[in-house]
Amino acid sequence: MLKHTQGLIYFIQASTYGPVKIGIVKNKFRLDMRLMDFQVGHYEKLTIIRTINGTLLTEKWLHHRYIQLKKHIRGEWHIFHEDMLTIIPPTYEDLEKIKFPVLKINKYNKPRILRENPIFMVNDELYQKMEILWNKSVGHQK
């Protein structure tokens, strides 16, 4: 899937308040197939808790967000966070302007952010807009 191609971003959760896998597929049919594949190898009931339209950049932004919130478990799995049910990611145009943090994965599969600022923007106006979105999404209203 190309980074600008629209797809369906999914949040699949293991049990109630269990870990959540964030991924992307081309369409609903592929999502149903993916869920069946995951369920075969998982001991808990898996449930799709949310889907949103987006691109690979949207998925990348979501993964970086939950890594920064210290919710990363391994790979594409994250500890459940309530805003997974409501978060509205930035538009594709805004995401294209983000310089994503550089991550280093240690021997325990834990990511470490090598840059501190959660969102690295090219222009100041867009940075302010994204900072407002970021603060709202982590519950820090200004």
Side-chain angles (χ1 to χ4, degrees):
M1 181 177 280
L2 299 173
K3 73 176 186 176
H4 62 275
T5 304
Q6 280 288 323
L8 194 59
I9 296 174
Y10 59 83
F11 296 75
I12 292 178
Q13 187 172 35
S15 73
T16 306
Y17 299 107
V20 176
K21 182 181 186 319
I22 299 171
I24 187 167
V25 291
K26 288 183 180 180
N27 55 46
K28 176 77 169 98
F29 174 75
R30 289 185 185 247
L31 176 57
D32 293 339
M33 298 302 292
R34 178 86 39 102
L35 180 61
M36 285 191 297
D37 289 345
F38 292 148
Q39 190 61 72
V40 167
H42 206 284
Y43 69 97
E44 291 186 5
K45 172 84 170 121
L46 298 177
T47 308
I48 300 168
I49 59 171
R50 183 170 183 212
T51 59
I52 54 175
N53 292 323
T55 64
L56 285 172
L57 282 178
T58 312
E59 180 195 17
K60 182 176 183 177
W61 182 84
L62 288 164
H63 285 296
H64 275 80
R65 172 177 166 60
Y66 295 112
I67 287 169
Q68 290 165 347
L69 290 174
K70 310 286 189 227
K71 299 295 180 184
H72 183 257
I73 297 172
R74 182 176 185 177
E76 295 187 333
W77 287 89
H78 303 274
I79 297 168
F80 175 76
H81 190 277
E82 291 176 358
D83 82 352
M84 289 177 174
L85 300 174
T86 58
I87 190 165
I88 300 171
T91 64
Y92 177 76
E93 291 75 24
D94 290 343
L95 287 169
E96 274 194 311
K97 297 171 185 166
I98 294 176
K99 293 181 182 176
F100 285 94
V102 176
L103 300 177
K104 180 178 182 176
I105 307 296
N106 68 19
K107 65 181 179 180
Y108 305 107
N109 196 40
K110 290 292 182 185
R112 183 169 66 91
I113 297 171
L114 300 180
R115 296 183 190 146
E116 292 181 12
N117 197 331
I119 298 176
F120 300 90
M121 305 306 297
V122 176
N123 87 32
D124 290 338
E125 181 182 319
L126 187 55
Y127 176 81
Q128 290 171 353
K129 179 181 175 186
M130 294 301 292
E131 187 175 35
I132 290 167
L133 280 172
W134 178 264
N135 288 330
K136 283 182 182 177
S137 66
V138 294
H140 301 299
Q141 301 284 346
K142 284 190 177 182

